[in-house]
């Protein structure tokens, strides 16, 4: 059978991508080193499931949700299957740090490669997918790829040299945002709010604030200033955050994540 979508690796990121794709098509096959995990996810999303070889043999777009240090072994095992295909699949790698040229070399130069970095909110159609295409990817392939992920959120084409930096923001950023939501909710609880209410208020506030940035086009500094009334409570809270170097800590977190992302391809 010919599948539009194949996925090897049903971890958190692979599962999030599969969830987004399932809103566009159910013509897909999932595989995982623990077959039961692939079977369970496939049943939830109305996909087929099978082995790595079956996914590699029958998929037009073969997504690789494989950890960077395992990618070489996985592709080496699949090389005979991929080499035997008359029409080569488009390999779509979400392995942090591995470049397109590294992936092409691992697969023996037989398949076109798209490198992506998604984040987990793609599973609720509010994610970001950074991507760049190798030289072997034709314009019609890129168009079909974008259509396949149309329900994931925002797809951003970045030159590969910028993907590690972008990953540090959009790929790692949800964890930073969840930490902020949790901390804001804890502060609300400390002030007497029930935890469920505090959590809802914190999450909706970050969601709405992000939407303001996206829709108004205003710089975050301007939006912040519009909330801070002279002598008011908000500016006192901002003063406390500045005293605790929250801005610098967030910058350092992004830089550290970028450096680690780049290093993963060399480990």
């Amino acid at each position: 059978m010919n599948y539009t979508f194949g996925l090897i690796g049903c971890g958190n990121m692979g599962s999030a991508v599969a969830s987004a794709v399932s809103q566009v098509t159910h013509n897909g096959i999932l595989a995982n080193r623990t077959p039961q995990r692939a079977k369970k996810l496939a049943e939830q999303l109305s996909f087929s499931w099978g082995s790595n070889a079956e996914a590699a043999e029958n998929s037009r777009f073969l997504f690789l949700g494989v950890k960077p240090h395992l990618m070489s072994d996985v592709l080496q095992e699949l090389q005979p299957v991929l080499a035997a295909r008359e029409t080569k699949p488009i390999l779509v790698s979400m392995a942090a740090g591995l470049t397109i040229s590294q992936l092409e070399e691992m697969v023996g130069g037989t398949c076109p490669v798209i490198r992506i970095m998604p984040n987990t909110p793609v599973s609720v159609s509010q994610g970001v997918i950074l991507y760049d295409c190798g030289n072997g990817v034709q314009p019609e392939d890129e168009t079909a790829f974008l259509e396949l992920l149309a329900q994931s959120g925002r797809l951003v084409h970045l030159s590969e040299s910028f993907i590690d930096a972008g990953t540090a923001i959009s790929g790692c950023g949800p964890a930073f945002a969840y930490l902020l939501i949790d901390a804001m909710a804890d502060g609300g609880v400390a002030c007497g709010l029930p935890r469920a209410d505090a959590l809802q208020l914190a999450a909706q506030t970050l969601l709405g604030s992000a939407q303001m940035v996206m829709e108004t086009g205003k710089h975050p500094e301007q939006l912040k200033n519009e909330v801070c009334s002279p002598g008011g409570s908000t500016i006192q809270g901002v003063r406390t955050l500045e005293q605790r170097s929250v801005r610098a800590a967030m910058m350092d977190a992004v830089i550290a994540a970028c450096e680690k992302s780049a290093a993963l391809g060399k480990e």
Side-chain angles (χ1 to χ4, degrees), residues 5-135:
F5 170 70
L7 171 67
I8 295 175
C10 299
N12 291 335
M13 200 67 77
S15 297
V17 169
S19 180
V21 172
S22 71
Q23 298 178 59
V24 175
T25 180
H26 295 296
N27 183 27
I29 180 171
L30 310 183
N32 195 69
R33 62 181 176 179
T34 306
Q36 196 61 30
R37 183 164 188 167
K39 181 177 184 291
K40 182 178 180 180
L41 183 63
E43 290 173 347
Q44 291 173 352
L45 301 178
S46 299
F47 286 128
S48 300
W49 64 282
S51 66
N52 288 2
E54 288 172 318
E57 186 176 7
N58 296 292
S59 303
R60 178 182 180 189
F61 290 96
L62 182 62
F63 283 66
L64 302 168
V66 179
K67 293 186 182 300
H69 69 281
L70 299 175
M71 185 69 78
S72 180
D73 290 341
V74 170
L75 290 179
Q76 187 173 11
E77 291 177 4
L78 295 177
Q79 269 198 27
V81 176
L82 297 172
R85 286 190 53 168
E86 183 176 344
T87 301
K88 306 302 182 188
I90 310 295
L91 300 184
V92 184
S93 168
M94 57 187 84
L98 287 182
T99 65
I100 290 172
S101 61
Q102 285 176 302
L103 292 159
E104 290 173 340
E105 184 177 351
M106 287 178 188
V107 79
T110 58
C111 299
V113 174
I114 298 175
R115 180 182 173 188
I116 70 170
M117 181 47 64
N119 62 15
T120 51
V122 300
S123 64
V124 292
S125 301
Q126 292 295 329
V128 175
I129 296 181
L130 312 176
Y131 79 96
D132 196 15
C133 299
N135 292 332

Side-chain angles (χ1 to χ4, degrees), residues 204-247:
Q204 182 61 46
T205 297
L206 260 70
L207 178 64
S209 300
Q211 199 69 22
M212 285 284 286
V213 173
M214 298 293 287
E215 293 192 5
T216 66
K218 294 180 180 179
H219 192 280
E221 179 75 8
Q222 180 181 350
L223 290 169
K224 181 264 293 180
N225 290 344
E226 291 174 359
V227 182
C228 294
S229 302
S233 56
T234 305
I235 192 62
Q236 293 303 319
V238 169
R239 179 176 66 89
T240 300
L241 291 173
E242 295 289 9
Q243 287 176 334
R244 304 294 171 84
S245 300
V246 170
R247 184 194 303 263

